[in-house]
Amino acid sequence: MPSTIVPDPAATPHCNLAPRDVAGLVEHLAAYHAHFAPAFARPEQAWWAKQYLHGLLSDCPRKSIEPMALALGLKIRAMQHFIGQSAWRLAPILAGHQALVGQTLGEADGIYLVDESGVVKHGHDSVGVAPQYCGSVGKVANSQVGVYLGYASTKGYTLLDTQLFVPEGWFADDHAALRRDTGMPTDLTSQTKPQIALALLARSVAQGDVPARWLAADALYGDSRAFRDGVAGLGLWYFTAVACSTLIWRRHPALIVRPWAGKGRKPTKQQLKTPTNRPYRLDELLHRLPKSAWIRTTIKEGSKGPIVYDLAFVRVTEAREGLPGPRLWLVIRRSLTDPSDVRFYLSNAPETIDTASLARMVGVRWPVELAFEEGKGEVGMDHYEVRSWDGWHHHMVLVLLAHHFLVWMRVRWHSRAPALTLCQVRLLLLSVLPKPVFDAAEALERVRYYQRRNHAAAVSHRKRTLTRLAALGHFAL
């Protein structure tokens, strides 16, 4: 297994930007917002969207509605209404967003990315909240989980669309009041995450503004054969992780139709010609491969140097209900430092594809994780404090726009500042983004607001506590 140490591809960073370029960020942000303004039904909605984008891109430590409105000198209730209650359609905004992403990042062999991201929540009144696995804490927690569609190319990556996952328990009769109070669509039905992801993908493919050849996803989606078949039906090549228990044949097994015995209906159902030729698990195949099947491969250049794995590429037939299904590529990734760390991937890419293209796909899911990290660290993706269905989706769509604005500027400046990161673009933006005056008078007004709010909250909490105690017979109100 020969290995080749590739030279460092990164040149010494340079940043040939001038102060006038940074000053122009304000105009660029206005032009970016103007691209979406016509998608809003009313001018005041477009105006509020601009203010919310400013808040998400600002240096406000907490990017929920109250602190952003206070920092921008805006009315809190008005911003709450815009995000949580105002009726503005997402479809035209997302259509404009994806069209712009196609212009910014689009490449013929681009890659759709599917993943989910969760946010831990306190209480049980926010739409879709339930004890469920939350990747941000790595365990089951009371949380909301969104399914996201992303996109990556050699130019960069961003998020395209999203929908909140609603656990099945929320569709039970005992949640009817919560569904009504949180504004869940009355025609919404229980869907799995792979079903939501496939719907997001189909919508984007139908729009046709984002060129792509591939879809990459983890085993949550790859283990759904319906999801993979749906991706293939859209004309895309999937590259998805799958469980080690997935059943396959190395060679495509022969099928027969049992001979007719002369009585009853003639048999039509196919069965294995050799009943003992049963499929086996992927982790069994792992031990059958010769050493020569493994190729030591640099799959990408990481922040600390090349990322190298041992890879094996095998043509297999997937078993479905005991019969042969599609003929697929199986890619096995094995760690150099811990050979027990193995991952399996299935792909419907053509048999003639070169293995270098498959090796490239092993490392392409990292961009969606980076998009989540940047979304939460730079533009307040997980800072929302809304409970309604519309509130969650309105916030998330504007987060998608804010993240892509940073990507948009990084791509525009790439030839002059190739090492520029999204964090650094936002740092430059913060230096010129207009800020309301915050003087002693404004500080005092904010203190008075906090005191009024805290007092009202304390009175409300005390009233609920006394009511509960009275119901238990401890006090008479």
Side-chain angles (χ1 to χ4, degrees):
M1 293 180 294
S3 60
T4 302
I5 303 300
V6 296
D8 182 3
T12 303
H14 64 273
C15 182
N16 294 328
L17 298 174
R20 65 177 179 275
D21 297 314
V22 179
L25 276 169
V26 175
E27 291 184 6
H28 285 308
L29 182 56
Y32 182 78
H33 169 262
H35 179 81
F36 303 99
F40 290 92
R42 299 196 300 274
E44 61 269 24
Q45 292 175 333
W47 184 87
W48 273 109
K50 182 178 182 179
Q51 306 312 310
Y52 203 83
L53 277 175
H54 280 210
L56 294 175
L57 292 164
S58 74
D59 58 356
C60 190
R62 180 73 183 172
K63 293 171 182 178
S64 56
I65 291 173
E66 183 188 69
M68 285 200 304
L70 289 172
L72 295 172
L74 302 172
K75 294 181 178 180
I76 297 169
R77 291 293 178 87
M79 184 177 283
Q80 287 173 336
H81 182 270
F82 168 70
I83 291 295
Q85 298 168 279
S86 181
W88 44 282
R89 296 178 59 237
L90 299 178
I93 298 167
L94 287 167
H97 169 58
Q98 294 193 22
L100 197 56
V101 170
Q103 296 172 24
T104 308
L105 302 176
E107 291 179 337
D109 62 344
I111 305 162
Y112 280 112
L113 305 169
V114 165
D115 207 350
E116 70 281 346
S117 182
V119 178
V120 174
K121 304 297 288 185
H122 300 290
H124 305 281
D125 296 332
S126 297
V127 62
V129 72
Q132 55 190 316
Y133 181 79
C134 181
S136 61
V137 293
K139 62 181 181 180
V140 174
N142 195 59
S143 57
Q144 289 174 301
V145 176
V147 178
Y148 295 82
L149 179 67
Y151 181 79
S153 70
T154 61
K155 298 178 182 179
Y157 54 86
T158 195
L159 300 173
L160 296 174
D161 202 349
T162 184
Q163 182 176 317
L164 181 69
F165 169 71
V166 181
E168 190 174 358
W170 266 76
F171 293 92
D173 291 342
D174 60 355
H175 276 64
L178 275 175
R179 291 197 301 272
R180 182 187 64 250
D181 293 345
T182 56
M184 269 180 55
T186 55
D187 59 349
L188 187 70
T189 58
S190 180
Q191 291 180 295
T192 65
K193 293 173 185 175
Q195 287 172 330
I196 293 173
L198 186 59
L200 297 177
L201 177 65
R203 191 160 63 204
S204 180
V205 171
Q207 183 175 324
D209 287 325
V210 182
R213 178 174 294 160
W214 295 89
L215 177 286
D218 64 18
L220 174 65
Y221 304 90
D223 285 337
S224 168
R225 293 182 306 197
F227 174 77
R228 287 191 280 115
D229 289 347
V231 174
L234 292 171
L236 296 171
W237 300 344
Y238 59 75
F239 190 94
T240 63
V242 291
C244 63
S245 58
T246 303
L247 298 176
I248 55 95
W249 283 278
R250 182 74 181 272
R251 295 177 178 83
H252 198 81
L255 297 174
I256 62 169
V257 176
R258 181 169 54 84
W260 183 44
K263 296 180 180 180
R265 293 183 178 179
K266 288 186 177 182
T268 58
K269 186 177 181 181
Q270 290 185 318
Q271 61 185 33
L272 294 175
K273 182 178 181 180
T274 307
T276 57
N277 183 18
R278 295 173 180 170
Y280 48 89
R281 291 164 52 111
L282 291 179
D283 50 6
E284 292 181 41
L285 173 63
L286 180 67
H287 304 296
R288 302 186 185 192
L289 293 177
K291 290 184 178 180
S292 59
W294 295 96
I295 303 172
R296 188 151 294 176
T297 307
T298 301
I299 63 168
K300 63 175 294 189
E301 186 70 25
S303 59
K304 298 180 180 179
I307 299 175
V308 183
Y309 287 104
D310 286 336
L311 301 181
F313 307 91
V314 187
R315 291 292 289 175
V316 299
T317 296
E318 183 182 10
R320 297 193 173 185
E321 284 76 44
L323 294 176
R327 192 76 175 157
L328 303 170
W329 276 107
L330 167 67
V331 180
I332 309 175
R333 189 200 80 185
R334 186 175 67 187
S335 170
L336 303 186
T337 56
D338 181 8
S340 66
D341 181 6
V342 178
R343 297 289 185 273
F344 301 92
Y345 305 89
L346 287 179
S347 175
N348 66 328
E351 184 176 1
T352 54
I353 195 171
D354 59 284
T355 55
S357 296
L358 294 173
R360 163 183 170 247
M361 293 300 297
V362 173
V364 299
R365 282 199 62 257
W366 276 295
V368 75
E369 299 294 343
L370 292 175
F372 291 152
E373 181 181 328
E374 292 161 352
K376 294 175 180 180
E378 301 296 330
V379 292
M381 180 177 176
D382 58 344
H383 291 189
Y384 64 91
E385 294 177 1
V386 292
R387 293 181 175 180
S388 69
W389 174 269
D390 283 347
W392 189 93
H393 288 87
H394 288 170
H395 170 81
M396 288 301 171
V397 166
L398 291 171
V399 165
L400 267 54
L401 300 189
H403 181 269
H404 180 247
F405 171 74
L406 300 177
V407 174
W408 189 61
M409 288 308 309
R410 186 189 63 77
V411 171
R412 289 175 69 96
W413 283 342
H414 179 71
S415 61
R416 298 164 63 194
L420 201 64
T421 66
L422 263 64
C423 176
Q424 292 163 2
V425 174
R426 194 171 75 89
L427 178 65
L428 297 176
L429 176 64
L430 291 178
S431 69
V432 294
L433 200 62
K435 302 177 181 67
V437 174
F438 185 68
D439 54 16
E442 177 60 28
L444 283 170
E445 185 57 36
R446 198 171 298 185
V447 165
R448 295 185 183 104
Y449 165 77
Y450 287 140
Q451 291 180 345
R452 291 193 302 270
R453 181 202 62 183
N454 294 344
H455 175 71
V459 170
S460 178
H461 290 315
R462 188 172 189 275
K463 182 178 179 180
R464 283 199 296 269
T465 299
L466 292 177
T467 301
R468 186 177 68 254
L469 292 173
L472 295 172
H474 290 261
F475 289 98
L477 295 182

